Every structure is written in structure tokens, then in C-alpha cells.
Amino acid sequence: MNGRDEYLLAKYNIYRHISAPIHVDLEITSACPYRCIFCESDIPNRRIKSLDTKKYIYILDKLAEAGVFRVFLTGGEPLANPDFPTIYKYAKDIGLAPCVSSNLYLLNSKLLEKLMDAGLDHIQVSIHGPSYIHDLIVKRPGSYEKVLKNLEQIKSTGIYVEVACVGIRQNFAYIPQLINDIAPTEIDLFRVLRYVPGHRRNMLNEIPPKYLVLETIPKIFEAAKKNNLEVFIGVPPGLDSPFNLPPEIYEVIHLLNHFCEAGKYKMTILPNGDVYPCTLFRNKKEMYCGNILEKEIHEIWNALPMRKLREITPENYKGKCYHCPEKWHCYSCRCVAYNLTGILEGEDQTCYKISQISF
């Protein structure tokens, strides 16, 4: 183990001893007007009934008391919950630094006024391609034009807006065009989100081919520079060693973390209060950690699945991941490994170095 590896091991060890998650994804609805081709909405407990607002307020209080730093209000589509402004405002008032990602399809002038009154100052907007590419991916004809108008409306209020595009096989080549098309709205940041498949092996086919990623990233950088726009790019692991990538590529790649964050400093609360280390574990009963309405956070945070994830370091990986010389600065997903291999330490099948897909 070299000096860099020892440093990263120390970083792993820090997260073994925190008493509560730093970041919590709180799903406040499972409803959504989209049916995105990359969304695994057929997961049995994906479509579950939401709690009433008083219970979400109670959950937020518990998170604040436990010392949680940030709550990410999500879904489904969070704006589909009619009390979203109330929930957001309460989270902000008690210091939970709420953030939100929305597809903006449901936004209207009345709702925007409520969001402004709630103190919304930052929003991530999901757009997955230019024009018909977006409509094709979300399976909602006309959605791109509607969302673009809503994007212009919300940006005119002065709210910090970042646009996020999930990078998959069908849209990756069109991302530079999307940047050019939405640049006139003067958004503040553009993100390409790494696509992480869940429990269906065939969803590996949605991962953009390696050659396409390498061809397109410089074009994304060029479009961003042309439009004076900051860009972060998330891609599957195994693209190449970050130390060997050309500067114009590495400059825009956003590696996020050197490890899977599930259970280490983050957890997910489903709309009914059930807790899992990550939303992609939600179809695995053995990864259930309890219900936030019934258990204290310290009990949930120290449930067996959480503790198992905190104990894993790259030294515990199996197969090709174990032998990979870059494992200590990899951002492999333990959810993918578990869902597709049956063990938390298994190979991340999304990695370009080990995937069985023809790249």
C-alpha cells in the first residue's frame, strides 16, 4: 500500500465513526409524470404511498436533532407532492440545508410563487437531451418545450439553477447540442450524471460505450467553454487512470467520491419512512434498516447493512476489482455490485475495465 492508499484508508476510517449520516435523501413522493427509460420503476416498492406532511416534518426534526447536515428532497418528482413548499421551508428553517432535483414539468406560476415564498434559492433541473431526444427518454411528448419555458421562468427569479442530464447510450452524443440549446437561459451549472443501473442486468446496456464517452467529452468541454458555463461530468468507473487523461478531458470530469457513499455518510428514506443505505438497495429486503418513524436514527445508522458498508474498503473487493491497481481511487458502486453479483464486495459491472458489454 502506497502513501496515497494509506491516506484514502484513513478517509474510510473516519466515516466508520460518525454517529449519524451527513447527507440524507428523503423521498417525499413516488409520483412522477415521466417514465424515463433508465428509471427502474418496476421495483416492487418503488410505487409506495407517501406519508402526510406532519410525518415528514417529524422526520426532518429527527434528522436535525441527530446532526444531519443536508437533506435532499426527492422522489419520484418532488413537486408532485402538493406540500413540497411547506416541507422545503421547514427543512431550511431548522438548518438542514435542503436541496432539490426536479424535472420542472409540473411547475406553474402559482407554484413558483410558493417556492419563492419558501425561500428556494437553488434547484437542479433534469433535462436529458435536446428536443425530441429528451421527450423520447422520458416518454412524455412535448415535455422538452414545456420544461424549457419553465426553466426560463425560474431562472428569471434569480434562483441558482443547474441542469442535470443522466448520460446514457441514447443521449450522450447529443449532450453538447443540449448545452448549446439551453445556454441562452443563462443557467449556472451543467452536470452530466453518471448512470447507475439497479437490479436489472439488461440495464447495463444503457451505459454509454467507452469510445462514445471519450469522443464526446472534449465536445462537451468545447460547448461549455463557448457558453462560459461550468460543467461537471460523471462517467462509469474504468474510463482510464485520471493521471493519464488528457487535460481537456480530466478538467471537466467530476469523480464525486473515491468510494461508494452508501452507509458511509449517506442514507435514503423512502416515501413511507423505510430506510436503506441507498435507493438502489430498495428491492433487497436484507438491506432494510428500519423505519424512521419507529426507530431512532442511531439505531438505523448502526443497523447491520450500514455497518457492513462502512467496513468495506477496496482491500475487501473481489474478483477483478480486487486486482485493479486503481481500486483505491475508484468510485465503484456497491449497489451495482450487490444487485448483480450477490455480494457487497463484488465487481462493479458498470466499470469499463470489467464489464461484459461490448464497448
Side-chain angles (χ1 to χ4, degrees):
M1 183 179 290
N2 59 36
R4 177 179 171 80
D5 295 350
E6 291 175 352
Y7 164 76
L8 291 172
L9 177 58
K11 190 174 180 181
Y12 274 87
N13 288 332
I14 289 173
Y15 289 113
R16 290 177 179 176
H17 301 292
I18 61 175
S19 59
I22 296 171
H23 180 109
V24 172
D25 288 344
L26 175 58
E27 299 182 8
I28 59 173
T29 181
S30 61
C32 183
Y34 288 172
R35 292 294 178 267
C36 299
I37 60 177
F38 54 78
C39 178
E40 302 187 64
S41 57
D42 63 331
I43 295 176
N45 64 349
R46 187 85 199 183
R47 305 284 293 178
I48 55 181
K49 187 177 180 180
S50 303
L51 301 170
D52 62 52
T53 301
K54 289 183 179 179
K55 288 188 172 65
Y56 287 128
I57 296 298
Y58 173 71
I59 290 172
L60 292 172
D61 280 334
K62 291 185 75 168
L63 296 179
E65 290 170 7
V68 172
F69 172 72
R70 168 159 289 186
V71 61
F72 184 43
L73 299 175
T74 181
E77 164 52 44
L79 297 188
N81 185 319
D83 285 338
F84 170 80
T86 300
I87 296 170
Y88 179 92
K89 185 177 187 306
Y90 190 83
K92 191 168 186 177
D93 287 347
I94 62 175
L96 278 174
C99 50
V100 60
S101 177
S102 169
N103 56 43
L104 281 197
Y105 187 84
L106 301 175
L107 187 72
N108 54 49
S109 57
K110 185 176 181 180
L111 177 54
L112 179 56
E113 185 177 342
K114 290 182 179 180
L115 294 176
M116 296 295 292
D117 290 342
L120 182 69
D121 53 15
H122 184 158
I123 190 168
Q124 178 176 287
V125 180
S126 301
I127 305 179
H128 302 300
S131 189
Y132 73 93
I133 299 295
H134 171 83
D135 291 359
L136 180 68
I137 289 174
V138 305
K139 299 181 180 179
R140 191 87 186 197
S143 60
Y144 177 81
E145 292 300 327
K146 181 173 183 178
V147 170
L148 204 61
K149 290 179 181 178
N150 288 340
L151 178 65
E152 293 171 348
Q153 186 180 14
I154 201 166
K155 191 65 188 78
S156 69
T157 66
I159 291 175
Y160 184 97
V161 176
E162 55 183 84
V163 168
C165 171
V166 176
I168 59 175
R169 181 182 293 268
Q170 288 90 334
N171 68 359
F172 212 91
Y174 297 94
I175 292 175
Q177 181 184 336
L178 174 60
I179 292 174
N180 287 324
D181 288 353
I182 65 175
T185 64
E186 298 184 341
I187 62 170
D188 300 283
L189 174 67
F190 186 90
R191 290 184 186 271
V192 179
L193 301 181
R194 170 194 172 191
Y195 169 60
V196 184
H199 72 293
R200 296 204 310 268
R201 181 171 293 274
N202 69 307
M203 294 304 287
L204 288 170
N205 294 319
E206 300 297 337
I207 296 171
K210 181 178 178 179
Y211 77 86
L212 178 60
V213 172
L214 290 174
E215 284 180 1
T216 308
I217 285 179
K219 297 175 184 178
I220 294 174
F221 177 74
E222 182 182 350
K225 187 175 182 180
K226 170 186 170 184
N227 293 289
N228 194 29
L229 182 61
E230 186 177 11
V231 174
F232 288 150
I233 301 179
V235 295
L239 181 67
D240 205 341
S241 167
F243 306 109
N244 295 330
L245 287 171
E248 68 271 18
I249 292 180
Y250 183 56
E251 184 174 348
V252 294
I253 290 184
H254 186 43
L255 298 181
L256 299 180
N257 293 292
H258 288 295
F259 51 80
C260 176
E261 59 207 32
K264 288 185 170 66
Y265 69 82
K266 180 178 177 181
M267 70 183 192
T268 295
I269 304 175
L270 302 189
N272 63 355
D274 287 344
V275 183
Y276 290 83
C278 171
T279 188
L280 291 178
F281 280 125
R282 66 195 299 153
N283 66 316
K284 300 294 184 182
K285 293 180 180 179
E286 64 274 18
M287 298 303 292
Y288 173 67
C289 298
N291 189 286
I292 193 72
L293 299 175
E294 301 168 356
K295 290 189 174 183
E296 297 302 319
I297 289 180
H298 71 87
E299 295 179 274
I300 292 173
W301 189 238
N302 289 293
L304 183 60
M306 300 284 194
R307 287 188 281 114
K308 282 184 175 180
L309 285 162
R310 283 199 287 278
E311 289 300 314
I312 293 175
T313 78
E315 284 299 310
N316 306 119
Y317 292 168
K318 307 294 183 183
K320 294 179 182 178
C321 284
Y322 173 76
H323 295 286
C324 181
E326 298 174 13
K327 65 184 179 183
W328 278 98
H329 50 85
C330 178
Y331 42 107
S332 66
C333 177
R334 295 301 94 200
C335 299
V336 172
Y338 189 67
N339 285 335
L340 300 184
T341 71
I343 55 173
L344 290 171
E345 303 87 355
E347 296 176 345
D348 181 346
Q349 297 294 309
T350 66
C351 177
Y352 288 126
K353 293 181 182 296
I354 65 174
S355 177
Q356 300 304 306
I357 303 173
S358 175
F359 289 124

